[in-house]
Each structure stands twice: as structure tokens, then as C-alpha cells.
Amino acid sequence: MADEQKIVVEVPSERGYSPVASTAELSRLEEFKNGWRNAIALPDNLPDLAFDLTASLAIPALFTSCWVSLPLPSFIRWGVMVMVALSGVIACYLRKAIPEIETILLIRLGLLFVGVLLGT
């Protein structure tokens, strides 16, 4: 048995046919989900968590105060509104696509909302 050679069979993938179920797509999907989980998750250590929470409040407050107090041209206001609408659509999609991140996504959106309220 030690002298037996192993037989390797290669299946051409020109037509996309493979008799064996491919796990590469599943792993890419899992990598995608894990990437979003890691990107949205709150940091573990206290200084990074404090910085993250402060930035989540301060940055929207800064933009909102500029929005209210500065005379911006209407095309900039419309562009920002379109970007906010697209961000909302993406957040809704992520909430449905990756149910594990729903709570942390809602926490982050709540922080952004509080920051917007502080800026007005």
C-alpha cells in the first residue's frame, strides 16, 4: 500500500461545472459577514471605546451645527441628503443581511442620532 500512487482528477471549470459543492463562496460570504461584524463592533479596551463613543457623538454634532449655522449652497445640501438616504438604505440592508450585528448597529445609529440632536 505504501507504493500505491494517488490519482488526482482535475475538473475543468470553463463552464462553471463542478460536481463537488464549492465551499469557496461560502467562506467568502462568511469573510464578508465577519468583516462587517469586526468593523461595526465596539472596541474592547477602555481608551479606544471612549474615543469611539466620543467620535460617534462629536462628528455628527459638528456636521449638524455647520449645517444649521453656515449658509451652504443648495446643491451641497441635496448631495448630503442623498448620501444620508443611501447610508440609511445600506444600514437597513446590513441589518437584514447580517442579523448578528443588529443590536450594535442600532446602538451606533442611536449615538449618531444623539450627536445630530446635540448639534442643533
Side-chain angles (χ1 to χ4, degrees):
M1 290 208 155
D3 294 342
E4 292 181 10
Q5 293 181 345
K6 293 184 179 180
I7 299 174
V8 178
V9 177
E10 294 183 15
V11 178
S13 61
E14 301 168 351
R15 295 172 283 172
Y17 172 77
S18 178
V20 180
S22 176
T23 58
E25 289 122 16
L26 295 177
S27 67
R28 286 185 183 167
L29 179 62
E30 287 302 316
E31 286 179 18
F32 173 77
K33 287 182 177 182
N34 287 335
W36 274 105
R37 282 184 209 118
N38 293 338
I40 294 177
L42 292 173
D44 292 336
N45 56 0
L46 190 59
D48 286 343
L49 179 64
F51 176 77
D52 192 52
L53 294 178
T54 305
S56 295
L57 291 172
I59 293 172
L62 175 67
F63 283 131
T64 305
S65 66
C66 289
W67 181 273
V68 171
S69 62
L70 295 177
L72 298 173
S74 63
F75 71 91
I76 292 177
R77 289 186 184 266
W78 280 106
V80 170
M81 286 184 204
V82 167
M83 287 175 31
V84 168
L86 287 174
S87 299
V89 169
I90 291 171
C92 290
Y93 171 74
L94 285 175
R95 184 174 166 242
K96 290 184 181 189
I98 310 170
E100 297 88 19
I101 65 168
E102 181 176 359
T103 56
I104 194 68
L105 184 64
L106 291 177
I107 289 171
R108 289 208 178 260
L109 289 175
L111 287 172
L112 291 174
F113 182 70
V114 170
V116 167
L117 289 179
L118 289 174
T120 56

